[in-house]
């Protein structure tokens, strides 16, 4: 009996928050098992596996599981309020907002936040970009260099974008000068943040607006000012280089398009002519040497 | 030199200076910078392809690749200016400077050559100091360098350029730079490599641009008009004229050098 009381007292000492307090190890004992899933009655499932290594490397490593999952301290766990996987993610934003209230407020006012309130199924929540348990510092080189892929998760997908009358812009971006540089930084020098513009440098991270919204930094009237945040001495015509992530065509950037067409004709034309002359010359050599032709 | 014809009379090296030392150094610098620009430029154009990525990683990243590229670009541009200065400065000297001038004759020479090579004629076009192939290549390099320098500088200094020019010239310059680069590289690989390296009579390479010399035999065969002119003004090495060719040496079309 004495030992029982003592061990209970030690247990309480170790976890002063509550009698039922858990260490992360306790939770991870089950949750590191790969493939653990929760099925939702209204549809969808969520993988509840947490990689202990990734969590330990995340910015949230000092937190306990129950810091965020406040209602999951007991076992068996209480049923969650959400009926679907999607609504679980949407509701989970309130957990983030507990600490990140400023960002949450800005996000709510953004086009993404508006979409969430309208119940649109594809709109990102906090965890769509930051992940749930492997959250890295947004200022880190890895996070920055990976931004085009993060946004590209949706903005590369023609089907998803089509539902909202948008164009997929990812491919055009990675072929642009900014995109090429960022991609190569990610590939060759991943520990250095790309000095080239990534999505959020122009569109902002949490306050994204429609480009047609006059308050958007990429609204036509604001583009030059936005360019000048990096290109300090950008000339007054600088922004007309901008083609809205459109592949060049006669309608968008006709000059670029015409140069493209010019070289598409010129290169095979010239190379074809040279190849012909070279082949002819070789032919001449062959017939004079082996064909008995004399000149 | 191992070429048929060159030393066939056993009279030693009956050769003539064709390129001055300065010209050979110029060609060597052009060769180095062109190759450096291609090898650092192509992976930028094809940066999403495996070999492009690997080359950029090899150079240490995109910043380092661009730094090397721009360094050699500056060298090539300086070389271009040097060339223009020399051409202008020596324009009045009787050193056959205008032999690179293009004229309608070069088109006729080309057509005559095509007729010969294709067997529709037995008559060899008589080339002067530079044949039509060499002239076209010279002007292609000159013109290509101007395009590459202009479009490259636009991409290097977009902020400055757009003080005066519409911004759309920047993406247009990027497309033109890539297109012209591809054209230049393919032309050199096909045309220059063939004419200066892979043609059966010069394989594995035409040494004239490195030794600076051309044998009289070859000069007479490939640049007969220049040969005649030099003979007329007595500029050929005394007593070393090869016999008139009653049996031509190995079949040789118009060639480089």
């Amino acid at each position: 009996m004495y030992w029982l009381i003592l061990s209970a007292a030690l247990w309480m000492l170790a976890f002063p928050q509550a009698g039922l307090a858990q260490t992360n190890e306790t939770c991870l004992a089950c949750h590191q098992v790969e493939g653990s899933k929760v099925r939702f009655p209204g549809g969808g499932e969520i993988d509840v596996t947490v990689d202990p290594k990734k969590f330990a490397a995340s910015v949230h490593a000092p937190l306990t599981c129950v810091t965020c999952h406040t209602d999951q301290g007991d076992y068996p766990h209480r049923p969650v309020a959400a009926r679907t996987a999607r609504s679980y993610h949407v509701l989970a934003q309130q957990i983030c907002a507990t600490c990140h209230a400023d960002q949450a407020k800005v996000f709510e006012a953004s086009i993404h936040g508006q979409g969430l309130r309208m119940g649109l199924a594809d709109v990102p929540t906090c965890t769509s970009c930051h992940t749930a348990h492997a959250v890295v510092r947004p200022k880190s080189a890895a996070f920055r260099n990976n931004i085009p892929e993060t946004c590209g998760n949706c903005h590369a997908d023609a089907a998803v974008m089509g539902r909202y009358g948008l164009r997929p812009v990812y491919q055009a971006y990675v072929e642009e000068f900014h995109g090429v540089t960022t991609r190569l930084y990610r590939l060759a020098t991943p520990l250095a943040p790309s000095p080239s513009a990534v999505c959020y440098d122009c569109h902002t991270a949490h306050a994204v607006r429609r480009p047609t919204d006059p308050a958007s930094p990429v609204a036509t009237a604001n583009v030059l000012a936005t360019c000048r945040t990096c290109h300090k001495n950008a000339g007054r015509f600088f922004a007309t280089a901008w083609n809205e992530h459109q592949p060049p065509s006669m309608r968008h950037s006709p000059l670029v398009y015409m140069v493209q067409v010019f070289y598409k004709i010129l290169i095979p034309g010239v190379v074809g002519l040279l190849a012909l002359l070279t082949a002819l010359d070789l032919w001449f050599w062959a017939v004079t040497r082996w064909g008995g032709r004399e000149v | 030199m191992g070429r048929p014809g060159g030393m066939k009379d056993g009279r030693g090296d009956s050769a003539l200076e064709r390129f001055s030392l300065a010209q050979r150094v110029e060609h060597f610098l052009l060769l180095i910078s062109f190759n450096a620009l291609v090898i650092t430029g192509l992976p930028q154009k094809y940066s999403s392809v495996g070999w492009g990525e690997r080359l950029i990683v090899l150079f240490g990243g995109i910043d380092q690749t661009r730094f090397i590229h721009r360094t050699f670009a500056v060298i090539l541009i300086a070389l271009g200016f040097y060339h223009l200065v020399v051409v202008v400065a020596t324009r009045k000297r009787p050193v056959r400077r205008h032999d690179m001038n293009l004229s309608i004759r070069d088109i006729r020479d080309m057509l005559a050559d095509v007729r010969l090579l294709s067997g529709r004629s037995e008559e060899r076009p008589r080339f002067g100091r530079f044949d039509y192939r060499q002239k076209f290549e010279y002007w292609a390099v000159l013109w290509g360098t101007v395009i590459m320098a202009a479009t490259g500088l636009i991409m290097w200094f977009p902020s400055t350029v757009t003080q005066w020019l519409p911004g759309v010239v920047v993406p247009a310059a990027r497309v033109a730079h890539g297109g012209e680069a591809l054209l230049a590289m393919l032309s050199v690989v096909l045309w220059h490599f063939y004419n200066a390296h892979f043609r059966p009579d010069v394989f594995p390479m035409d040494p004239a641009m490195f030794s600076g010399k051309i044998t009289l035999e070859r000069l007479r065969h490939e640049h007969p008009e220049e040969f005649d002119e030099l003979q007329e003004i007595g500029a050929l090495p005394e007593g070393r004229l090869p016999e008139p060719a009653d049996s031509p040496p190995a079949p040789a079309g118009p060639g480089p050098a």
Side-chain angles (χ1 to χ4, degrees):
Chain A
M1 190 63 189
Y2 174 76
W3 285 107
L4 201 66
I5 293 167
L6 184 67
S7 54
L10 279 173
W11 186 255
M12 305 281 275
L13 263 176
F15 308 101
Q17 295 162 353
L20 281 168
Q22 309 289 332
T23 61
N24 287 355
E25 284 71 27
T26 316
C27 303
L28 286 170
C30 295
H31 280 279
Q32 69 179 305
V33 176
E34 269 179 57
S36 316
K37 284 186 176 138
V38 169
R39 236 176 256 285
F40 287 82
E45 57 179 30
I46 287 178
D47 193 323
V48 294
T49 310
V50 176
D51 184 333
K53 272 191 200 138
K54 279 190 187 160
F55 182 73
S58 84
V59 285
H60 287 158
L63 303 181
T64 65
C65 301
V66 290
T67 311
C68 298
H69 302 282
T70 48
D71 56 347
Q72 300 298 327
D74 308 306
Y75 192 85
H77 297 312
R78 281 176 229 167
V80 293
R83 297 269 306 153
T84 63
R86 172 69 186 170
S87 66
Y88 179 83
H89 285 306
V90 174
L91 287 171
Q93 296 202 109
Q94 292 166 7
I95 299 173
C96 307
T98 325
C99 297
H100 303 282
D102 291 351
Q103 285 83 349
K105 215 170 145 193
V106 172
F107 182 80
E108 258 175 51
S110 77
I111 188 74
H112 288 144
Q114 287 172 36
L116 266 186
R117 278 199 301 286
M118 289 162 69
L120 304 181
D122 304 291
V123 178
T125 66
C126 308
T127 50
S128 312
C129 304
H130 295 279
T131 77
H133 298 114
V135 183
V136 297
R137 258 182 346 108
K139 295 263 189 291
S140 66
F143 191 74
R144 177 177 176 78
N145 294 350
N146 209 36
I147 280 292
E149 280 61 43
T150 305
C151 300
N153 276 335
C154 299
H155 287 274
D157 191 327
V160 173
M161 290 296 107
R163 273 175 232 154
Y164 307 100
L166 299 173
R167 280 180 293 116
V169 289
Y170 170 82
Q171 196 53 38
Y173 168 80
V174 294
E175 285 167 18
E176 287 157 19
F177 201 76
H178 291 149
V180 167
T181 305
T182 300
R183 201 182 146 272
L184 291 172
Y185 258 77
R186 179 162 159 259
L187 188 86
T189 47
L191 297 180
S194 168
S196 203
V198 299
C199 313
Y200 65 52
D201 291 320
C202 304
H203 295 275
T204 77
H206 295 127
V208 182
R209 292 167 183 272
R210 270 179 227 278
T212 48
D213 183 335
S216 165
V218 293
T220 314
N222 304 333
V223 172
L224 183 57
T226 303
C227 296
R228 281 180 173 159
T229 51
C230 298
H231 301 274
K232 297 269 186 279
N233 304 315
R236 60 207 156 110
F237 303 124
F238 190 84
T240 59
W242 181 231
N243 70 347
E244 301 167 358
H245 301 304
Q246 296 267 17
S249 64
M250 272 322 267
R251 270 189 63 208
H252 303 277
S253 309
L255 180 67
V256 182
Y257 181 70
M258 286 188 287
V259 174
Q260 249 177 14
V261 171
F262 176 72
Y263 279 103
K264 255 181 201 156
I265 297 167
L266 186 69
I267 294 174
V270 170
V271 174
L273 181 70
L274 299 184
L276 211 67
L277 286 171
T278 307
L280 212 54
D281 200 66
L282 273 172
W283 166 253
F284 177 77
W285 275 93
V287 293
T288 38
R289 177 153 304 180
W290 298 297
R293 184 181 168 198
E294 277 184 36
V295 180
Chain B
M1 281 191 248
R3 286 189 55 257
M7 293 156 61
K8 110 186 210 210
D9 300 331
R11 286 193 213 155
D13 197 1
S14 52
L16 189 71
E17 185 183 86
R18 185 160 174 79
F19 301 110
S20 70
L21 180 65
Q23 286 173 325
R24 282 178 270 153
V25 169
E26 201 184 328
H27 174 264
F28 185 72
L29 287 176
L30 174 66
L31 182 165
I32 295 289
S33 53
F34 184 89
N35 278 285
L37 285 165
V38 167
I39 204 159
T40 53
L42 269 193
Q44 293 188 60
K45 180 169 166 63
Y46 297 103
S47 63
S48 57
V49 188
W51 58 265
E53 291 177 356
R54 283 195 292 278
L55 273 175
I56 284 169
V57 171
L58 182 76
F59 297 134
I62 182 62
D63 284 342
Q64 289 76 358
T65 311
R66 286 192 185 131
F67 177 78
I68 304 170
H69 193 76
R70 287 166 185 178
T71 304
F72 282 101
V74 168
I75 293 175
L76 183 58
I77 292 171
L79 199 63
F81 275 112
Y82 163 80
H83 185 80
L84 290 184
V85 167
V86 170
V87 168
V88 171
T90 60
R91 71 193 181 283
K92 291 200 172 136
R93 268 191 239 162
V95 286
R96 331 180 60 81
R97 263 295 163 200
H98 25 264
D99 290 335
M100 274 298 181
N101 287 357
L102 284 173
S103 71
I104 195 76
R105 183 199 152 167
D106 295 300
I107 305 279
R108 271 196 239 115
D109 276 357
M110 183 177 92
L111 295 176
D113 197 35
V114 167
R115 275 196 299 276
L116 167 78
L117 297 179
S118 59
R120 278 144 46 91
S121 156
E122 296 301 304
E123 199 180 327
R124 270 175 196 283
R126 287 174 57 81
F127 298 120
R129 176 153 163 79
F130 296 113
D131 63 45
Y132 72 94
R133 299 166 192 245
Q134 297 165 329
K135 287 189 188 184
F136 290 169
E137 194 171 331
Y138 171 84
W139 285 103
V141 170
L142 214 67
W143 177 238
T145 305
V146 170
I147 299 242
M148 294 308 277
T151 54
L153 287 169
I154 289 174
M155 286 194 288
W156 195 354
F157 304 104
S159 294
T160 313
V161 167
T162 53
Q163 313 271 9
W164 309 289
L165 292 178
V168 72
V169 299
V170 180
R174 186 165 168 247
V175 172
H177 200 81
E180 188 70 28
L182 198 61
L183 181 61
M185 189 202 65
L186 291 175
S187 304
V188 165
V189 166
L190 200 66
W191 190 244
H192 187 70
F193 280 18
Y194 177 69
N195 286 311
H197 293 278
F198 294 119
R199 272 169 53 107
D201 64 338
V202 296
F203 185 82
M205 74 174 276
D206 179 349
M209 191 38 109
F210 293 90
S211 68
K213 293 192 172 76
I214 185 169
T215 59
L216 291 182
E217 186 60 47
R218 193 166 163 218
L219 184 71
R220 189 180 56 191
H221 190 71
E222 296 179 7
H223 304 280
E225 206 178 87
E226 182 187 12
F227 184 88
D228 290 352
E229 279 171 28
L230 290 174
Q231 198 167 35
E232 218 166 278
I233 61 171
L236 293 181
E238 200 63 30
R240 294 203 156 192
L241 295 185
E243 305 295 321
D246 33 35
S247 58

